[in-house]
Amino acid sequence: MADFLTKETILDTAEQVLRRFGPEKTSVVDVARALNVSHGTIYRHFSSKAALREAVAERWLHSISEPLKADFAQGGSSAERLRLWFEMLINIKHTLVQKDPELFSMYTTLVQESGEVVHDHIEELIKQIIPIIEEGIANNEFKSSDATKTATGVFLATARFHHPALAMEWASPSINQEFDIVWNVILSGIVK
Amino acid sequence: MADFLTKETILDTAEQVLRRFGPEKTSVVDVARALNVSHGTIYRHFSSKAALREAVAERWLHSISEPLKADFAQGGSSAERLRLWFEMLINIKHTLVQKDPELFSMYTTLVQESGEVVHDHIEELIKQIIPIIEEGIANNEFKSSDATKTATGVFLATARFHHPALAMEWASPSINQEFDIVWNVILSGIVK
């Protein structure tokens, strides 16, 4: 088996083992044992336990950010495109929790311990909405003079709906209504 | 001692016991033992373990919401008063984490399990900012037509800075800058 061992296979197995034992108790030896290889074989692909855990976290975050890259909602206004991007992000996350709450919770713990990986993920997400805001500024729909700041502001102001540490509240029956209320404030602000 | 046992004394002791054993493992008997009384004595004040836990959670949340009632920032604009209210809320929470992270974490767990108590607490906080927004509408500073919705929107859009489940991120060196960015979006929105 060791000869055909790919990074993907190791990550698949690591995910299962992490889920069974929890991020605190999983060792490289546990993953090697589940694959029936020596831990040296794992270390040829991942230099440390931390590197393996980070790779698992990274792959998961990538599965969230990748589908959002699609150039959807062409033809709509910039405000509509921006809202659709957030609805898709929120939908991806809420679906992950609903489908497998335990796995989501394991990943939330894992990801919170991988500071740099999370930072890159958030940067990647914000980078995806910057062009939508720039387009809105160019077509005179948005008033922002700094698209990066605006993108960051909108991302942070919607944290309640996509930050994994708040997942236990997403099942609330009023969550969609709350998103509408927040989105209204984000779009038009409160001052005259 | 039992004769002089007040609710406050029981709550003080319950807090210490909850902290030592954790919310999952603490029983009414543990609290009674720490006070050197029978568990019947505790039940005379609190009808159940759940009622005792909720009372502890409620007292803690009250210690957060009570100081915010002060009529501060008189004379400022409504926008300034609103921002000051949020700065005070955030300051109270961040100080609690810094002073005693373990106690804060215990309370976060406890509070998350007391759904109704949290609901009342959030309603109480939102109620405090409604008059500031109403005043802003009356003096033509704010454009909202529904002060309750606006108050809810602003409260939810700032969750990143005051939701206890996100406390691990409050020590970030960029947290104040992030608040400024979000506040700017909340005040003036993004559309022209």
Side-chain angles (χ1 to χ4, degrees):
Chain A
M1 173 136 193
D3 288 348
F4 308 106
L5 208 58
T6 63
K7 282 201 168 196
E8 281 304 304
T9 312
I10 297 175
L11 293 178
D12 286 341
T13 305
E15 181 184 279
Q16 290 165 29
V17 176
L18 279 162
R19 180 194 187 137
R20 203 177 326 142
F21 298 148
E24 294 315 321
K25 288 181 188 154
T26 298
S27 70
V28 170
V29 171
D30 295 325
V31 178
R33 195 174 293 142
L35 282 162
N36 208 19
V37 300
S38 73
H39 60 275
T41 307
I42 309 287
Y43 282 122
R44 270 202 293 279
H45 293 271
F46 300 97
S47 62
S48 66
K49 180 181 160 178
L52 176 59
R53 288 165 56 128
E54 273 191 19
V56 175
E58 213 168 0
R59 188 174 68 156
W60 187 66
L61 294 173
H62 196 70
S63 78
I64 292 169
S65 61
E66 203 54 26
L68 290 163
K69 278 187 181 163
D71 194 6
F72 41 80
Q74 280 179 309
S77 71
S78 299
E80 282 164 358
R81 290 183 63 199
L82 190 62
R83 179 169 175 143
L84 203 57
W85 186 92
F86 275 100
E87 283 179 354
M88 285 194 55
L89 170 68
I90 289 165
N91 190 259
I92 290 169
K93 298 246 188 145
H94 293 209
T95 305
L96 283 172
V97 182
Q98 277 164 11
K99 258 175 49 187
D100 197 335
E102 267 179 37
L103 190 68
F104 191 89
S105 165
M106 186 282 282
Y107 268 117
T108 303
T109 309
L110 193 68
V111 155
Q112 273 167 358
E113 289 163 5
S114 313
E116 209 174 320
V117 172
V118 176
H119 180 267
D120 291 352
H121 174 66
I122 292 173
E123 208 171 76
E124 154 69 21
L125 290 177
I126 290 174
K127 254 188 204 158
Q128 290 192 19
I129 53 176
I130 291 174
I132 307 178
I133 289 165
E134 280 173 340
E135 179 207 69
I137 297 168
N139 66 22
N140 220 22
E141 192 183 333
F142 292 162
K143 64 187 162 192
S144 164
S145 56
D146 184 333
T148 303
K149 267 196 186 169
T150 302
T152 305
V154 179
F155 189 81
L156 295 176
T158 51
R160 188 208 184 328
F161 309 100
H162 54 69
H163 194 303
L166 302 179
M168 67 286 180
E169 294 177 11
W170 296 341
S172 158
S174 57
I175 196 84
N176 290 330
Q177 200 193 337
E178 286 177 12
F179 182 75
D180 279 341
I181 291 172
V182 168
W183 193 255
N184 193 38
V185 167
I186 287 172
L187 267 198
S188 62
I190 61 174
V191 295
K192 271 205 174 172
Chain B
M1 171 136 195
D3 288 349
F4 309 106
L5 208 56
T6 63
K7 282 201 168 195
E8 280 303 304
T9 312
I10 297 175
L11 293 177
D12 286 341
T13 305
E15 180 183 281
Q16 290 165 30
V17 176
L18 280 160
R19 182 195 187 135
R20 203 177 327 141
F21 297 148
E24 294 315 321
K25 289 180 186 155
T26 298
S27 71
V28 170
V29 172
D30 295 325
V31 178
R33 195 175 291 141
L35 282 162
N36 207 19
V37 300
S38 74
H39 61 273
T41 308
I42 308 288
Y43 282 122
R44 269 202 294 280
H45 294 271
F46 300 96
S47 63
S48 66
K49 180 181 159 179
L52 176 58
R53 289 166 54 128
E54 273 192 20
V56 175
E58 211 167 2
R59 188 174 68 156
W60 187 66
L61 293 173
H62 196 70
S63 77
I64 292 169
S65 60
E66 202 55 24
L68 290 163
K69 279 187 182 163
D71 193 8
F72 41 81
Q74 280 179 310
S77 70
S78 300
E80 281 163 0
R81 291 183 63 198
L82 190 62
R83 179 170 175 142
L84 203 57
W85 186 92
F86 276 100
E87 283 179 356
M88 284 194 56
L89 170 68
I90 290 165
N91 190 259
I92 289 169
K93 298 248 188 141
H94 292 210
T95 305
L96 283 171
V97 182
Q98 278 163 10
K99 259 175 48 186
D100 197 335
E102 268 178 37
L103 190 68
F104 191 88
S105 165
M106 185 283 282
Y107 269 116
T108 303
T109 308
L110 193 68
V111 156
Q112 272 167 358
E113 289 162 6
S114 312
E116 208 174 320
V117 172
V118 176
H119 180 267
D120 291 351
H121 173 65
I122 292 173
E123 206 170 77
E124 154 69 20
L125 290 177
I126 291 173
K127 255 188 203 157
Q128 289 193 19
I129 53 175
I130 291 173
I132 306 177
I133 288 165
E134 282 174 338
E135 179 207 70
I137 296 168
N139 66 24
N140 219 21
E141 192 183 333
F142 293 162
K143 63 186 162 193
S144 162
S145 56
D146 184 333
T148 303
K149 266 196 185 167
T150 302
T152 306
V154 179
F155 188 81
L156 296 175
T158 51
R160 187 203 185 331
F161 308 100
H162 54 69
H163 195 302
L166 303 178
M168 68 286 179
E169 293 176 12
W170 297 341
S172 158
S174 56
I175 196 83
N176 289 329
Q177 200 194 336
E178 286 177 12
F179 182 75
D180 279 340
I181 291 172
V182 169
W183 194 255
N184 193 39
V185 167
I186 287 172
L187 267 198
S188 62
I190 62 173
V191 296
K192 273 205 173 173

